[in-house]
Amino acid sequence: MIYLCAISNIRSGVCREDCMFCTQSVKWGADISRYRQKSISSIVNEAKLAKKHKAAGFCLVTSGKSLDDKTLEYVCEATKAVLKEVNISIIACNGTATKEALKELKKAGVKIYNHNLETSREYYPKICTTHSWDERFETCENIKSTGLKLCSGGIFGMGESEKDRISLLNSLKELNPEGIPLNFFIENERLPLKATHTKKMALEIIKEFRKHFADSIIMLAGGREVVFKDSWIEGIKAGADSIVIGDYLTTKGEKALNDLEILKKEGIQIANEC
């Protein structure tokens, strides 16, 4: 069984944080599309297409540090509009968030909140200085406390050590997220980091996370095409049971129909809900 998820970048490239892995930070000046609000009608149409491509989850992502009042209102409006027309699980990914804001999202129909720890607590200050790892962890605790499902993982191949990867895994154990996205760093000429991942490393990470999180959904997320090329199904066989279909936030992904064809060929059943 595999879970498919699609992403909608509903606010792009307007973040003032300095995360060295992220093209959406204005600090790095990456050549990406930047806008403050995608139209609600466009979001609904993307959700319809995601459902057509058998996605069980649809993630509404906003660039920026936190879920402030204006963002909350916008995401709630988009959630209600999608759910009115599409039977799909809404995932929100809107940065650090208070319990009160998360409760409002839940009332609007959001089922899952995604907030990645990104890397170990020890390595984090080397890749971001404008907010702390502890803020991220606290948001994950807030998510759990409100009854939303937690989706939290990290990015690999940013120069972190094996010790850092183990530290991240242990921190996630404390949170026990229902979903764990495993992202592999995608280079950009304007970003200060260079990718340090290999396919062998990626497979080892997937196996290790599956061993420790038997009941969580392990997602092959951003960068699977970079690290695996055409052999991403190896990641599924190693223990992952979810992928992002279509495009990512600021980079192109594999065509959804190609992914569906591979899954059909492999005889892997697609989940209807997450």
Side-chain angles (χ1 to χ4, degrees):
M1 180 77 75
I2 191 167
Y3 300 84
L4 306 183
C5 177
I7 292 174
S8 180
N9 190 4
I10 65 174
R11 174 180 296 152
S12 178
V14 293
C15 185
R16 298 195 174 280
E17 302 302 289
D18 71 352
C19 304
M20 297 181 188
F21 53 82
C22 188
T23 54
Q24 299 216 74
S25 168
V26 297
K27 179 179 176 64
W28 309 119
D31 183 17
I32 64 167
S33 179
R34 300 180 190 272
Y35 47 86
R36 288 209 165 268
Q37 284 196 356
K38 184 177 283 183
S39 71
I40 298 298
S41 60
S42 294
I43 296 169
V44 171
N45 286 337
E46 287 181 27
K48 288 178 179 178
L49 183 61
K51 184 69 176 181
K52 181 181 178 181
H53 290 151
K54 302 186 182 302
F58 185 64
C59 189
L60 303 174
V61 187
T62 52
S63 66
K65 179 181 181 291
S66 62
L67 181 60
D68 57 28
D69 290 343
K70 286 185 177 180
T71 304
L72 175 61
E73 183 180 356
Y74 175 46
V75 176
C76 286
E77 182 187 1
T79 297
K80 291 173 184 176
V82 169
L83 292 178
K84 189 176 180 181
E85 299 195 42
V86 188
N87 180 22
I88 200 165
S89 293
I90 299 294
I91 306 157
C93 181
N94 315 118
T96 54
T98 64
K99 292 178 184 180
E100 291 72 26
L102 291 164
K103 287 175 183 176
E104 290 303 311
L105 285 183
K106 188 178 179 184
K107 285 181 188 176
V110 171
K111 185 177 180 181
I112 304 163
Y113 197 87
N114 171 224
H115 193 63
N116 294 330
L117 295 180
E118 306 301 13
T119 189
S120 70
R121 189 176 191 272
E122 299 80 9
Y123 190 65
Y124 192 80
K126 295 180 181 178
I127 60 169
C128 179
T129 67
T130 47
H131 64 272
S132 71
W133 183 93
D134 292 310
E135 288 181 74
R136 288 182 174 271
F137 193 87
E138 182 182 6
T139 290
C140 291
E141 290 180 316
N142 290 344
I143 295 161
K144 297 284 284 190
S145 73
T146 60
L148 287 166
K149 289 185 177 181
L150 171 63
C151 184
S152 184
I155 306 174
F156 302 93
M158 298 189 292
E160 78 284 350
S161 66
E162 184 177 353
K163 185 178 179 181
D164 288 313
R165 294 192 285 272
I166 293 169
S167 176
L168 170 62
L169 186 148
N170 287 333
S171 295
L172 287 168
K173 275 186 179 180
E174 294 180 47
L175 295 167
N176 192 28
E178 285 82 1
I180 305 176
L182 304 181
N183 298 276
F184 299 95
F185 177 60
I186 301 173
E187 288 187 0
N188 182 284
E189 61 182 5
R190 301 305 296 269
L191 295 179
L193 298 178
K194 296 298 179 185
T196 58
H197 47 59
T198 63
K199 185 168 81 168
K200 181 176 181 292
M201 184 186 96
L203 289 170
E204 289 172 353
I205 289 168
I206 294 166
K207 290 174 183 176
E208 190 69 11
F209 271 80
R210 175 48 70 203
K211 183 171 72 174
H212 289 278
F213 295 95
D215 298 325
S216 299
I217 295 174
I218 305 293
M219 174 182 282
L220 268 184
R224 72 175 164 100
E225 294 87 354
V226 175
V227 76
F228 284 105
K229 303 293 190 292
D230 294 331
S231 62
W232 61 266
I233 201 69
E234 291 181 39
I236 303 301
K237 293 177 179 178
D241 54 359
S242 177
I243 60 170
V244 175
I245 58 168
D247 295 335
Y248 299 103
L249 294 177
T250 62
T251 57
K252 286 287 184 183
E254 181 57 83
K255 290 182 179 178
L257 292 177
N258 291 352
D259 287 337
L260 292 174
E261 187 62 32
I262 290 170
L263 292 171
K264 182 179 179 181
K265 182 180 177 181
E266 294 288 336
I268 299 174
Q269 188 177 354
I270 300 170
N272 292 321
E273 61 180 354
C274 58

